[in-house]
Amino acid sequence: MVYPDTFEGFAVQSAATWTQPKRTTYTPRPFEDTDIDIKVIACGVCGSDVHTVTGGWGACPYPLVVGHEIVGHVLRVGSKTTTGLKVGDRVGVGAQAFACLQCNQCKNDNEIYCKHQLDTYGATFPGGFISQGGYASHVRVHEYFVFPIPDGLETKLVAPMLCAGATAFSPLYRNGAAPGKKVGIVGIGGIGHFGILFGKALGAEVWAISRSNAKKEDALKLGADGYIATQDKDWTAPHAMTFDLIVNCANSSKNFNLDDYLSLLDVNGKFINVGLPEGDGFQIHPFKMMGNAAVFGFSHIASRKEILYMLKLAADKKLKPWVETIPVGEEGCGSALKRCHDNDVKYRFTLVDYDKAFN
């Protein structure tokens, strides 16, 4: 079989033109025996894509094809792969494309915290190759970071699970979201709406926490057991020291009174951040955490083990994230990035029609 020597994608050229990606052809890094080549059929649009191409998270290696919520079919399998994938399988790729798989972190299913981890796009691989993402015809990824997709999950719905879903699932799973636990989800957006879905799927009592009541109806439709609007007077009082876990999915720390949220936690309760706002972030004073022995922490995407379990859970529970589809292309990618930046989506985008864009 003849495999493509070059891939095509829609690349952002500069921070000044981030809403105007251009079709481009590029050479991927050399294929290795542990790699999988994937013909892309869909890709979710993530807030990370926006933060990256606008320069909000720092220097960006333009031109860059973003996208790390990738679904496609296996086109080529390396001779030394061991995960059992075969040509034609429907698979997914998230935000991570490489880790050493030898360190203690990797050996304990914490490869997301490997010091040698590399991202699906924007990372420099050996030989100087910059990884390119899923707004493209194909991707080339180490087999460990390629996940089989259960048959019960629709392509357009599963794509956003591979980053946003995984980012919400990991802190819930690792920190004990389960029957008998009260969990708060702060920020009802792309990640937060997955927090509600997966919190309920894990059996917890889930409360949505947002600044206003604008998303109350949506949160309850998603399955939330309750809703808290932080603009209401004395909003913390009825819930003081009642939450076992709060997962903060908000992408902004502006006017965010962290002390109020910490006061909601029961003794040894955890406040875990997954949102990565631009700017200076939070300020914390130890005295504010001593009254309930609160734990303040962070979480980063999800391990292979967690993603495989998440996908099975989503299929078993027939979870339905709220997804809008947009045809992939220069116009479609630019529009999706702009609307994601403007929070003009309920609650995720998936780029589709790859067969039309790339023949």
Side-chain angles (χ1 to χ4, degrees), residues 85-96:
L85 294 173
K86 60 184 184 300
V87 171
D89 285 350
R90 188 174 61 132
V91 295
V93 175
Q96 185 175 2

Side-chain angles (χ1 to χ4, degrees), residues 21-345:
K22 300 299 181 185
R23 190 183 189 107
T24 186
T25 300
Y26 54 93
T27 301
R29 62 176 177 79
F31 187 85
E32 298 184 4
D33 292 339
T34 52
D35 282 339
I36 302 286
D37 272 359
I38 300 165
K39 187 177 188 299
V40 182
I41 60 172
C43 184
V45 177
C46 185
S48 301
D49 302 347
V50 176
H51 289 299
T52 298
V53 298
T54 59
W57 281 349
C60 175
Y62 304 107
L64 184 66
V65 177
V66 292
H68 57 204
E69 298 178 336
I70 304 164
V71 179
H73 292 119
V74 173
L75 180 67
R76 183 182 184 186
V77 179
S79 61
K80 294 183 179 179
T81 58
T82 60
T83 51
L85 294 173
K86 60 184 184 300
V87 171
D89 285 350
R90 188 174 61 132
V91 295
V93 175
Q96 185 175 2
F98 181 81
C100 76
L101 303 181
Q102 300 298 319
C103 66
N104 287 336
Q105 287 72 37
C106 287
K107 290 179 179 179
N108 286 284
D109 296 312
N110 284 314
E111 70 276 1
I112 49 179
Y113 301 107
C114 175
K115 290 184 178 181
H116 304 286
Q117 79 91 27
L118 294 173
D119 294 337
T120 299
Y121 62 74
T124 303
F125 278 72
F129 289 87
I130 303 297
S131 58
Q132 305 291 335
Y135 298 8
S137 60
H138 303 79
V139 290
R140 177 169 293 167
V141 183
H142 187 286
E143 64 160 340
Y144 193 82
F145 302 97
V146 180
F147 314 112
I149 302 294
D151 291 339
L153 295 175
E154 190 177 353
T155 291
K156 69 178 182 181
L157 301 184
V158 74
M161 293 184 192
L162 295 163
C163 179
T167 298
F169 180 79
S170 180
L172 290 166
Y173 181 67
R174 290 189 182 219
N175 293 287
K181 300 295 183 179
K182 184 177 179 180
V183 173
I185 303 296
V186 178
I188 312 306
I191 298 175
H193 103 290
F194 274 115
I196 296 173
L197 290 171
F198 283 121
K200 291 300 298 177
L202 289 167
E205 176 187 343
V206 178
W207 286 68
I209 305 174
S210 190
R211 298 193 184 199
S212 73
N213 283 295
K215 295 182 179 180
K216 182 175 182 177
E217 183 178 350
D218 288 354
L220 297 178
K221 285 181 179 178
L222 286 162
D225 296 287
Y227 189 92
I228 299 171
T230 63
Q231 70 178 13
D232 292 348
K233 184 178 180 181
D234 299 326
W235 65 273
T236 62
H239 303 279
M241 296 184 72
T242 65
F243 281 87
D244 299 288
L245 171 66
I246 296 175
V247 179
N248 178 26
C249 307
N251 63 3
S252 173
S253 57
K254 184 178 181 181
N255 298 322
F256 193 103
N257 188 338
L258 181 60
D259 296 344
D260 286 343
Y261 292 87
L262 295 176
S263 74
L264 302 177
L265 295 171
D266 196 359
V267 176
N268 294 322
K270 298 179 181 180
F271 187 94
I272 307 296
N273 297 275
V274 298
L276 289 172
E278 299 173 11
D280 295 332
F282 299 110
Q283 292 184 346
I284 307 173
H285 197 288
F287 283 115
K288 297 296 184 180
M289 303 180 70
M290 293 179 68
N292 53 0
V295 177
F296 185 84
F298 296 83
S299 178
H300 177 55
I301 53 177
S303 68
R304 175 182 175 86
K305 179 179 179 180
E306 290 168 330
I307 289 174
L308 292 175
Y309 178 58
M310 174 195 74
L311 294 173
K312 182 180 185 302
L313 182 68
D316 290 346
K317 297 289 186 177
K318 296 180 171 56
L319 298 188
K320 300 292 184 182
W322 293 13
V323 175
E324 178 182 341
T325 60
I326 294 179
V328 70
E330 291 182 353
E331 180 179 352
C333 292
S335 173
L337 288 168
K338 179 65 165 59
R339 288 182 58 193
C340 185
H341 175 272
D342 295 341
N343 292 318
D344 180 22
V345 57

